[in-house]
């Protein structure tokens, strides 16, 4: 008796056999590598027939589906300083296929997408979605650090902006301003002193 067996596959970077048979000649898409639907053809060899007694060539369709990247490793993303503009990092994406790590190509294997990623947060996000031979998605969070700007309030001197960790206590930079006839009493979020006050080098937490 002529017999064929069809086995659908999941992409694994190698050529895979989707159709096997006994007492048949196989032609067409018996093997393939990339995601897609394939068609093999099978014909009984001499002196053999199908189970129903016929001898005609049969088409056998089989598929290779995409490798799911939902468990991929997305590389760590360094903290970014708040800039007022959207931040679009491009971390590397690595999957393990048959025990071997494989770094994916952002041109052919997946796409990046992003939420707003403008304002300070510890949950800025990169979304990675498989394409081509890959399916599924995963994501990675990163931090956009708040910016503290120091104003001398008609005093003299300069101080650089300070970027601090989001949702983590961070000491403010030490005061470097002076003003004739005045001693430094601390920082305030408003120039007239009606805002929130902080001591020099006080810990602050932005949430």
């Amino acid at each position: 008796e002529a017999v064929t067996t069809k086995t659908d596959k999941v992409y694994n970077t190698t050529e895979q056999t989707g159709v096997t048979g006994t007492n048949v000649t196989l032609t067409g898409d018996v093997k393939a590598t990339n995601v897609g639907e394939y068609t093999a053809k099978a014909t009984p060899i001499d002196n053999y027939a199908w189970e129903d007694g016929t001898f005609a060539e049969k088409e056998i369709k089989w598929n290779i589906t995409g490798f799911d990247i939902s468990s991929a490793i997305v590389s760590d993303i360094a903290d970014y300083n708040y800039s007022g503009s959207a931040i679009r990092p491009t971390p590397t994406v690595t999957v393990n296929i048959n025990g071997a790590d494989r770094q994916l190509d952002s041109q052919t294997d997946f796409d990046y997408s992003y939420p707003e990623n403008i304002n300070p947060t510890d949950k800025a996000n990169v979304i990675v979605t498989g394409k081509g031979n890959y399916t599924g998605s995963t994501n990675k969070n990163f931090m956009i650090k708040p910016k503290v700007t120091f104003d001398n309030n008609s005093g003299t001197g300069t101080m650089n902006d300070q970027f601090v960790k989001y949702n983590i206590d961070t000491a403010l930079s030490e005061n470097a301003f002076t003003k004739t006839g005045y001693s430094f009493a601390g920082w305030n979020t408003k120039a007239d002193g009606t805002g929130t006050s902080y001591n020099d080098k006080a810990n602050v937490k932005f949430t």
Side-chain angles (χ1 to χ4, degrees), residues 80-169:
Y80 280 78
N81 293 335
Y82 170 77
S83 66
S85 299
I87 296 173
R88 304 285 187 259
T90 55
T92 61
V93 179
T94 303
V95 295
N96 187 282
I97 301 179
N98 292 339
D101 287 341
R102 179 182 181 88
Q103 184 171 313
L104 302 187
D105 186 331
S106 62
Q107 299 299 311
T108 58
D109 300 332
F110 68 91
D111 288 321
Y112 295 109
S113 60
Y114 308 87
E116 185 179 64
N117 287 355
I118 294 176
N119 294 319
T121 178
D122 57 358
K123 292 181 173 59
N125 195 249
V126 180
I127 302 163
V128 174
T129 303
K131 67 180 180 181
N133 288 317
Y134 298 90
T135 189
S137 64
T138 188
N139 66 89
K140 189 77 170 186
N141 286 343
F142 66 98
M143 181 181 291
I144 300 175
K145 295 162 67 175
K147 180 173 72 172
V148 179
T149 299
F150 301 95
D151 187 277
N152 63 24
N153 200 16
S154 75
T156 59
T158 59
M159 291 182 65
N160 293 328
D161 293 339
Q162 181 182 2
F163 292 93
V164 300
K165 293 281 190 179
Y166 187 87
N167 203 28
I168 296 174
D169 283 331

Side-chain angles (χ1 to χ4, degrees), residues 45-76:
I45 62 174
D46 290 346
N47 302 318
Y48 288 91
W50 301 116
E51 184 180 17
D52 61 4
T54 62
F55 304 92
E57 178 183 85
K58 290 185 176 181
E59 287 190 348
I60 305 150
K61 295 187 180 297
W62 62 285
N63 297 279
I64 298 178
T65 55
F67 183 90
D68 188 354
I69 67 168
S70 60
S71 297
I73 297 172
V74 181
S75 63
D76 290 337

Side-chain angles (χ1 to χ4, degrees), residues 6-9 11 16 18-19 28-40 59-66 132-133:
K6 177 195 80 168
T7 307
D8 289 331
K9 302 290 184 178
Y11 175 76
Q16 301 183 82
V19 178
D29 301 324
V30 177
K31 299 179 180 182
T33 302
N34 295 317
V35 165
E37 182 181 74
Y38 296 95
T39 302
E59 287 190 348
I60 305 150
K61 295 187 180 297
W62 62 285
N63 297 279
I64 298 178
T65 55
N133 288 317

